[in-house]
Amino acid sequence: MDTNLDTFLAQVAERAGYDGPPQAARAVQNVLEVLGAHLVGDDRTDLARLLPKQCRPLLTATEPANEPLTPESFVEAVTDRGGDDLAEAKRSVDAVLSTLTKVADDALLRRILTQLPPGHAGLFGCTDPG
């Protein structure tokens, strides 16, 4: 599936309550770069294939992280990357990750969540895989 960039950004903007695509694009960049550093292998590339082609490198070109992040540390990493305050970073994370749940099927989402420490499912707006 080749998701349209404008549609993807509009969905993120709507979920976050942003005024328009520039804010959404910035959120997408910050969140996907942090997420990409914490995913490996086929799960990362399978998710990237579902994104607009302009967003794929944000997820796949990021160097792997040295250690896993707690959900709180994930939001803090987005804060550091984007220079936003914590509340804005949380809003970006919630909007981008919940939009990803709409493009990924349940099996892929489960595989992604098993790569992340417990608690990340809440950032995606779902429950931890069991």
Side-chain angles (χ1 to χ4, degrees):
M1 173 202 289
D2 187 15
T3 305
N4 176 288
L5 180 61
D6 292 335
T7 301
F8 188 75
L9 292 178
Q11 290 171 349
V12 170
E14 181 179 330
R15 284 185 171 88
Y18 294 144
D19 293 331
Q23 281 181 293
R26 190 166 159 261
V28 166
Q29 178 176 354
N30 294 335
V31 173
L32 289 183
E33 287 176 349
V34 173
L35 180 62
H38 292 87
L39 298 178
V40 296
D42 291 341
D43 299 335
R44 182 164 87 160
T45 54
D46 289 349
L47 180 59
R49 275 190 220 108
L50 299 174
L51 297 173
K53 65 182 176 193
Q54 301 91 329
C55 296
R56 294 172 189 167
L58 299 172
L59 192 66
T60 60
T62 306
E63 290 295 318
N66 293 328
E67 59 185 56
L69 295 176
T70 65
E72 295 79 17
S73 296
F74 186 96
V75 174
E76 289 171 6
V78 172
T79 300
D80 294 343
R81 185 167 299 275
D84 295 322
D85 64 27
L86 199 56
E88 181 57 34
K90 177 74 167 108
R91 186 164 81 157
S92 295
V93 168
D94 290 345
V96 174
L97 296 184
S98 67
T99 302
L100 291 182
T101 66
K102 302 304 178 198
V103 298
D105 63 28
D106 289 342
L108 176 57
L109 188 56
R110 260 192 312 278
R111 291 191 335 254
I112 290 167
L113 289 172
T114 59
Q115 285 195 40
L116 301 170
H120 277 76
L123 297 178
F124 285 82
C126 55
T127 58
D128 279 311

